[in-house]
Coordinates of all heavy atoms in Angstrom, one line a residue:
M264 N 40.5 -111.4 3.4 CA 40.4 -110.2 4.1 C 41.8 -109.6 4.3 O 42.7 -110.2 4.7 CB 39.8 -110.5 5.5 CG 39.9 -109.3 6.4 SD 39.2 -109.8 8.1 CE 40.4 -111.0 8.6
T265 N 41.9 -108.3 3.9 CA 43.2 -107.6 4.1 C 42.9 -106.2 4.7 O 43.7 -105.3 4.6 CB 44.0 -107.5 2.8 OG1 43.2 -106.8 1.9 CG2 44.4 -108.8 2.3
G266 N 41.8 -106.1 5.3 CA 41.4 -104.8 5.9 C 42.0 -104.5 7.2 O 43.0 -105.2 7.7
E267 N 41.4 -103.6 7.9 CA 41.9 -103.1 9.2 C 42.0 -104.2 10.3 O 42.9 -104.3 11.1 CB 41.1 -102.0 9.7 CG 41.7 -101.2 10.9 CD 43.0 -100.5 10.5 OE1 43.2 -100.1 9.3 OE2 43.8 -100.3 11.4
F268 N 41.0 -105.1 10.3 CA 41.0 -106.2 11.2 C 42.3 -107.1 11.1 O 43.0 -107.4 12.0 CB 39.8 -107.2 11.1 CG 38.6 -106.7 11.9 CD1 37.4 -106.5 11.2 CD2 38.6 -106.5 13.2 CE1 36.3 -106.1 11.9 CE2 37.5 -106.1 14.0 CZ 36.3 -105.9 13.3
E269 N 42.6 -107.4 9.8 CA 43.8 -108.2 9.6 C 45.1 -107.5 10.0 O 46.0 -108.1 10.6 CB 43.9 -108.7 8.1 CG 45.0 -109.6 7.9 CD 45.0 -110.3 6.5 OE1 44.0 -110.2 5.8 OE2 46.1 -110.8 6.2
K270 N 45.1 -106.2 9.7 CA 46.3 -105.4 10.2 C 46.4 -105.4 11.7 O 47.5 -105.6 12.2 CB 46.1 -104.0 9.7 CG 46.3 -103.8 8.2 CD 46.1 -102.3 7.9 CE 45.9 -102.1 6.4 NZ 45.5 -100.7 6.1
Q271 N 45.3 -105.3 12.4 CA 45.3 -105.3 13.9 C 45.7 -106.6 14.4 O 46.4 -106.7 15.4 CB 44.0 -104.8 14.4 CG 43.6 -103.4 14.1 CD 44.6 -102.4 14.6 OE1 45.1 -102.5 15.7 NE2 44.9 -101.3 13.8
I272 N 45.2 -107.7 13.8 CA 45.6 -109.1 14.2 C 47.1 -109.3 14.1 O 47.7 -109.8 15.0 CB 44.8 -110.1 13.4 CG1 43.3 -110.1 13.8 CG2 45.4 -111.5 13.6 CD1 42.4 -110.9 12.9
K273 N 47.7 -108.8 13.0 CA 49.1 -109.0 12.7 C 49.9 -108.2 13.8 O 51.0 -108.7 14.2 CB 49.5 -108.6 11.3 CG 48.9 -109.6 10.3 CD 49.4 -109.4 8.9 CE 48.9 -110.4 7.9 NZ 49.3 -111.7 8.2
K274 N 49.4 -107.1 14.3 CA 50.1 -106.3 15.3 C 50.2 -107.1 16.6 O 51.0 -106.8 17.5 CB 49.4 -105.0 15.5 CG 49.6 -104.0 14.4 CD 48.9 -102.7 14.8 CE 49.1 -101.6 13.7 NZ 48.4 -100.4 14.0
L275 N 49.3 -108.1 16.8 CA 49.3 -108.8 18.1 C 50.5 -109.8 18.2 O 50.8 -110.3 19.2 CB 48.0 -109.6 18.2 CG 46.7 -108.8 18.3 CD1 45.5 -109.7 18.3 CD2 46.8 -107.9 19.6
C276 N 51.2 -110.0 17.0 CA 52.3 -110.9 17.0 C 52.0 -112.3 17.6 O 52.7 -112.9 18.4 CB 53.5 -110.3 17.7 SG 54.1 -108.8 17.0
L277 N 50.9 -112.8 17.2 CA 50.5 -114.2 17.6 C 51.3 -115.2 16.8 O 51.9 -114.9 15.8 CB 49.0 -114.4 17.3 CG 48.0 -113.4 17.9 CD1 46.6 -113.6 17.4 CD2 48.0 -113.6 19.4
D278 N 51.2 -116.5 17.3 CA 51.9 -117.5 16.5 C 51.1 -117.7 15.2 O 49.9 -117.4 15.2 CB 52.0 -118.8 17.3 CG 50.7 -119.5 17.6 OD1 50.2 -120.2 16.7 OD2 50.1 -119.2 18.6
P279 N 51.8 -118.1 14.2 CA 51.1 -118.1 12.9 C 49.8 -119.0 12.8 O 48.9 -118.6 12.2 CB 52.2 -118.8 12.0 CG 53.5 -118.4 12.6 CD 53.2 -118.4 14.1
K280 N 49.8 -120.0 13.6 CA 48.6 -120.9 13.6 C 47.4 -120.1 14.2 O 46.3 -120.1 13.7 CB 48.8 -122.2 14.4 CG 47.6 -123.1 14.4 CD 47.9 -124.4 15.1 CE 46.6 -125.2 15.1 NZ 46.8 -126.4 16.0
A281 N 47.6 -119.5 15.4 CA 46.6 -118.7 16.0 C 46.1 -117.5 15.1 O 44.9 -117.2 15.0 CB 47.0 -118.2 17.4
E282 N 47.1 -116.9 14.5 CA 46.8 -115.7 13.6 C 45.9 -116.2 12.5 O 44.9 -115.6 12.2 CB 48.0 -115.1 13.1 CG 47.8 -113.9 12.2 CD 49.1 -113.4 11.7 OE1 49.9 -112.8 12.5 OE2 49.4 -113.5 10.5
K283 N 46.2 -117.3 11.9 CA 45.4 -117.9 10.8 C 44.0 -118.3 11.2 O 43.1 -118.0 10.5 CB 46.1 -119.1 10.1 CG 45.4 -119.7 8.9 CD 46.1 -120.9 8.4 CE 45.4 -121.5 7.2 NZ 43.9 -121.4 7.1
E284 N 43.9 -118.9 12.4 CA 42.6 -119.3 12.9 C 41.7 -118.1 13.1 O 40.5 -118.1 12.8 CB 42.8 -120.1 14.2 CG 43.3 -121.5 13.9 CD 43.5 -122.3 15.2 OE1 42.8 -122.0 16.2 OE2 44.2 -123.3 15.1
L285 N 42.3 -117.0 13.7 CA 41.5 -115.8 13.9 C 41.1 -115.2 12.6 O 39.9 -114.8 12.5 CB 42.4 -114.9 14.8 CG 41.7 -113.6 15.3 CD1 40.4 -114.0 16.1 CD2 42.6 -112.9 16.2
I286 N 42.0 -115.1 11.7 CA 41.6 -114.5 10.4 C 40.6 -115.3 9.7 O 39.6 -114.8 9.1 CB 42.9 -114.3 9.5 CG1 43.7 -113.1 10.1 CG2 42.5 -114.0 8.1 CD1 45.1 -113.0 9.5
D287 N 40.7 -116.7 9.7 CA 39.8 -117.6 9.1 C 38.4 -117.4 9.7 O 37.4 -117.4 9.1 CB 40.2 -119.0 9.2 CG 41.4 -119.3 8.3 OD1 41.7 -118.5 7.4 OD2 42.0 -120.4 8.5
M288 N 38.4 -117.2 11.1 CA 37.1 -117.0 11.8 C 36.4 -115.8 11.3 O 35.2 -115.7 11.0 CB 37.3 -117.0 13.3 CG 36.1 -116.8 14.1 SD 36.4 -116.7 15.9 CE 37.5 -115.3 16.0
L289 N 37.2 -114.7 11.2 CA 36.6 -113.4 10.7 C 36.1 -113.5 9.3 O 35.1 -113.0 8.9 CB 37.6 -112.3 10.8 CG 37.8 -111.8 12.3 CD1 39.0 -110.9 12.4 CD2 36.6 -111.1 12.8
N290 N 36.9 -114.2 8.4 CA 36.5 -114.4 7.0 C 35.2 -115.2 7.0 O 34.3 -114.9 6.1 CB 37.6 -115.2 6.2 CG 38.7 -114.2 5.8 OD1 38.5 -113.0 5.6 ND2 39.9 -114.8 5.8
K291 N 35.0 -116.2 7.8 CA 33.7 -117.0 7.8 C 32.6 -116.1 8.3 O 31.5 -116.1 7.7 CB 33.9 -118.1 8.8 CG 32.6 -119.0 8.8 CD 32.7 -120.2 9.7 CE 31.4 -121.0 9.6 NZ 31.4 -122.1 10.5
A292 N 32.8 -115.2 9.3 CA 31.8 -114.3 9.7 C 31.4 -113.4 8.6 O 30.2 -113.1 8.4 CB 32.2 -113.5 10.9
V293 N 32.3 -112.9 7.9 CA 32.1 -112.0 6.8 C 31.2 -112.7 5.7 O 30.3 -112.1 5.1 CB 33.4 -111.4 6.2 CG1 33.1 -110.7 4.9 CG2 34.0 -110.5 7.2
S294 N 31.6 -113.9 5.4 CA 30.9 -114.6 4.3 C 29.4 -114.9 4.7 O 28.6 -115.1 3.9 CB 31.6 -116.0 4.0 OG 31.4 -116.9 5.1
E295 N 29.1 -114.9 6.0 CA 27.7 -115.1 6.5 C 27.0 -113.8 6.6 O 25.8 -113.8 6.9 CB 27.7 -115.9 7.8 CG 28.3 -117.3 7.7 CD 28.4 -118.0 9.0 OE1 27.9 -117.4 10.1 OE2 28.9 -119.1 9.0
D296 N 27.6 -112.7 6.4 CA 27.0 -111.4 6.6 C 26.0 -111.2 5.5 O 26.2 -111.2 4.3 CB 28.1 -110.3 6.4 CG 27.7 -108.9 6.7 OD1 26.5 -108.7 6.9 OD2 28.5 -108.0 6.7
S297 N 24.7 -110.9 5.9 CA 23.6 -110.7 5.0 C 23.8 -109.4 4.1 O 23.2 -109.3 3.1 CB 22.3 -110.5 5.8 OG 22.4 -109.4 6.6
C298 N 24.7 -108.5 4.5 CA 25.0 -107.4 3.8 C 25.7 -107.7 2.4 O 25.7 -106.9 1.5 CB 25.9 -106.4 4.5 SG 25.0 -105.7 6.0
M299 N 26.3 -108.9 2.4 CA 27.0 -109.2 1.2 C 26.1 -109.3 -0.1 O 26.6 -109.1 -1.2 CB 27.7 -110.6 1.3 CG 28.8 -110.6 2.4 SD 30.2 -109.6 2.1 CE 31.1 -110.6 1.0
S300 N 24.8 -109.5 0.1 CA 23.9 -109.6 -1.0 C 23.2 -108.3 -1.3 O 22.4 -108.2 -2.2 CB 23.0 -110.7 -0.9 OG 22.2 -110.5 0.3
C301 N 23.4 -107.3 -0.5 CA 22.7 -106.0 -0.6 C 23.2 -105.2 -1.8 O 24.4 -105.2 -2.0 CB 22.8 -105.2 0.7 SG 21.8 -103.7 0.7
E302 N 22.3 -104.5 -2.5 CA 22.8 -103.8 -3.7 C 22.7 -102.3 -3.5 O 23.0 -101.5 -4.4 CB 21.9 -104.2 -4.9 CG 22.1 -105.6 -5.3 CD 21.3 -106.0 -6.5 OE1 20.7 -105.1 -7.2 OE2 21.2 -107.2 -6.8
S303 N 22.4 -101.8 -2.3 CA 22.2 -100.4 -2.1 C 23.4 -99.8 -1.3 O 23.2 -99.1 -0.3 CB 20.9 -100.1 -1.4 OG 20.9 -100.7 -0.1
K304 N 24.6 -99.9 -1.9 CA 25.8 -99.4 -1.2 C 26.1 -98.0 -1.4 O 27.0 -97.4 -0.7 CB 27.0 -100.3 -1.4 CG 27.4 -100.4 -2.9 CD 28.5 -101.4 -3.0 CE 28.8 -101.6 -4.5 NZ 29.7 -102.8 -4.6
E305 N 25.5 -97.3 -2.3 CA 25.8 -95.9 -2.6 C 25.5 -95.0 -1.4 O 24.4 -95.0 -0.9 CB 25.0 -95.4 -3.8 CG 25.4 -95.9 -5.1 CD 26.9 -95.7 -5.4 OE1 27.3 -94.5 -5.3 OE2 27.5 -96.6 -5.9
G306 N 26.6 -94.4 -0.8 CA 26.4 -93.6 0.4 C 26.1 -94.3 1.7 O 25.8 -93.7 2.7
C307 N 26.3 -95.6 1.7 CA 26.0 -96.4 2.9 C 27.2 -96.3 3.9 O 28.3 -96.7 3.5 CB 25.7 -97.8 2.5 SG 25.3 -98.9 3.9
E308 N 26.9 -95.9 5.1 CA 28.0 -95.8 6.1 C 28.5 -97.2 6.5 O 29.6 -97.4 6.8 CB 27.5 -95.0 7.3 CG 27.3 -93.5 7.0 CD 28.5 -92.8 6.6 OE1 29.6 -93.0 7.2 OE2 28.4 -92.0 5.6
N309 N 27.6 -98.1 6.5 CA 28.0 -99.5 6.9 C 28.9 -100.1 5.8 O 29.8 -100.8 6.2 CB 26.7 -100.4 7.1 CG 26.0 -100.0 8.3 OD1 26.5 -99.6 9.3 ND2 24.6 -100.1 8.2
F310 N 28.7 -99.7 4.6 CA 29.5 -100.2 3.5 C 30.9 -99.6 3.7 O 31.9 -100.3 3.6 CB 29.0 -99.8 2.2 CG 30.0 -100.2 1.0 CD1 30.1 -101.5 0.6 CD2 30.7 -99.2 0.4 CE1 31.0 -101.9 -0.4 CE2 31.6 -99.5 -0.6 CZ 31.8 -100.9 -1.0
K311 N 31.0 -98.4 4.1 CA 32.3 -97.7 4.4 C 33.1 -98.5 5.5 O 34.3 -98.7 5.4 CB 32.2 -96.3 4.7 CG 31.7 -95.4 3.5 CD 31.4 -94.0 3.9 CE 30.8 -93.2 2.8 NZ 30.4 -91.9 3.2
W312 N 32.3 -98.9 6.5 CA 32.9 -99.7 7.6 C 33.4 -101.0 7.1 O 34.5 -101.4 7.4 CB 31.8 -99.9 8.7 CG 32.3 -100.6 9.9 CD1 32.9 -100.1 11.0 CD2 32.4 -102.1 10.0 NE1 33.3 -101.1 11.9 CE2 32.9 -102.3 11.3 CE3 32.0 -103.1 9.3 CZ2 33.1 -103.6 11.8 CZ3 32.2 -104.4 9.8 CH2 32.7 -104.6 11.0
H313 N 32.6 -101.7 6.3 CA 33.1 -103.0 5.7 C 34.3 -102.8 4.9 O 35.3 -103.6 5.0 CB 32.0 -103.6 4.9 CG 31.0 -104.4 5.6 ND1 29.9 -103.8 6.2 CD2 30.9 -105.7 5.8 CE1 29.1 -104.7 6.8 NE2 29.7 -105.9 6.6
K314 N 34.4 -101.7 4.1 CA 35.5 -101.5 3.3 C 36.8 -101.2 4.1 O 37.8 -101.8 3.8 CB 35.2 -100.2 2.4 CG 36.3 -99.8 1.5 CD 36.5 -100.8 0.4 CE 37.6 -100.4 -0.6 NZ 38.1 -101.4 -1.4
K315 N 36.6 -100.4 5.2 CA 37.8 -100.1 6.0 C 38.3 -101.3 6.8 O 39.5 -101.7 6.7 CB 37.5 -99.0 7.0 CG 38.6 -98.7 8.0 CD 38.2 -97.7 9.0 CE 39.3 -97.5 10.0 NZ 39.0 -96.5 11.0
W316 N 37.4 -102.0 7.5 CA 37.8 -103.0 8.4 C 38.0 -104.4 7.8 O 38.8 -105.2 8.2 CB 36.8 -103.1 9.6 CG 37.0 -101.9 10.5 CD1 36.3 -100.7 10.5 CD2 38.0 -101.8 11.6 NE1 36.8 -99.9 11.4 CE2 37.8 -100.5 12.1 CE3 38.9 -102.6 12.1 CZ2 38.6 -100.1 13.2 CZ3 39.7 -102.2 13.1 CH2 39.5 -100.9 13.7
L317 N 37.2 -104.7 6.8 CA 37.2 -106.0 6.2 C 37.8 -106.0 4.7 O 37.9 -107.1 4.2 CB 35.8 -106.6 6.2 CG 35.2 -106.7 7.6 CD1 33.7 -107.1 7.5 CD2 36.0 -107.6 8.5
N318 N 38.0 -104.8 4.2 CA 38.4 -104.7 2.8 C 37.5 -105.5 1.9 O 37.9 -106.2 1.0 CB 39.9 -105.2 2.6 CG 40.4 -104.7 1.3 OD1 40.1 -103.7 0.8 ND2 41.3 -105.5 0.7
S319 N 36.2 -105.4 2.1 CA 35.2 -106.1 1.4 C 34.5 -105.1 0.4 O 33.7 -104.3 0.9 CB 34.2 -106.7 2.3 OG 33.3 -107.5 1.6
N320 N 34.8 -105.2 -0.8 CA 34.3 -104.3 -1.8 C 32.8 -104.4 -2.1 O 32.2 -103.5 -2.5 CB 35.1 -104.4 -3.1 CG 36.5 -103.9 -3.0 OD1 36.8 -102.9 -2.3 ND2 37.4 -104.6 -3.7
N321 N 32.3 -105.6 -1.9 CA 30.9 -105.8 -2.3 C 30.0 -106.1 -1.1 O 29.1 -106.8 -1.2 CB 30.8 -106.9 -3.4 CG 31.5 -108.2 -2.9 OD1 32.1 -108.2 -1.9 ND2 31.3 -109.2 -3.7
S322 N 30.4 -105.6 0.0 CA 29.5 -105.8 1.2 C 29.0 -104.4 1.7 O 29.7 -103.4 1.6 CB 30.2 -106.5 2.3 OG 31.2 -105.8 2.8
N323 N 27.8 -104.4 2.1 CA 27.2 -103.2 2.8 C 26.0 -103.6 3.6 O 25.5 -104.7 3.4 CB 26.9 -102.1 1.7 CG 25.8 -102.6 0.7 OD1 24.7 -102.7 1.0 ND2 26.3 -103.0 -0.5
C324 N 25.6 -102.7 4.4 CA 24.4 -103.0 5.3 C 23.4 -101.9 5.2 O 23.8 -100.8 5.3 CB 24.9 -103.2 6.7 SG 25.9 -104.6 7.0
C325 N 22.2 -102.3 5.0 CA 21.1 -101.3 5.1 C 20.8 -101.0 6.5 O 20.7 -102.0 7.3 CB 19.9 -101.8 4.3 SG 20.2 -102.1 2.6
P326 N 20.6 -99.8 6.9 CA 20.3 -99.5 8.3 C 18.9 -100.1 8.7 O 18.1 -100.4 7.9 CB 20.2 -98.0 8.4 CG 20.5 -97.5 7.0 CD 20.7 -98.6 6.1

């Protein structure tokens, strides 16, 4: 993940261990996201959110 969440986490200036644990936790949550297997991302607002915040090119959510 190198999206907006990671940028915001880095701004907190946490110790490297805490920063890594937080980023790892978010990465795990993303990997469990059911949107990761959805194929209808054309024009999907949720996909745009995933792209911005999680930098996840192949995730999207159907409303």
Side-chain angles (χ1 to χ4, degrees):
M264 169 184 66
T265 56
E267 193 64 28
F268 274 124
E269 186 170 346
K270 289 177 192 173
Q271 296 298 324
I272 290 169
K273 291 190 179 295
K274 285 182 182 179
L275 296 174
C276 299
L277 302 171
D278 68 84
K280 183 179 178 186
E282 182 178 290
K283 181 184 180 327
E284 287 180 19
L285 188 53
I286 290 171
D287 288 348
M288 180 181 59
L289 285 167
N290 281 329
K291 182 177 181 185
V293 170
S294 71
E295 294 177 4
D296 186 353
S297 62
C298 293
M299 296 296 278
S300 61
C301 183
E302 295 181 12
S303 61
K304 62 185 169 190
E305 291 300 316
C307 180
E308 292 301 315
N309 290 323
F310 175 75
K311 292 175 187 175
W312 180 91
H313 276 84
K314 179 70 178 162
K315 175 183 177 181
W316 287 93
L317 305 173
N318 195 34
S319 182
N320 290 323
N321 54 353
S322 66
N323 61 77
C324 296
C325 297

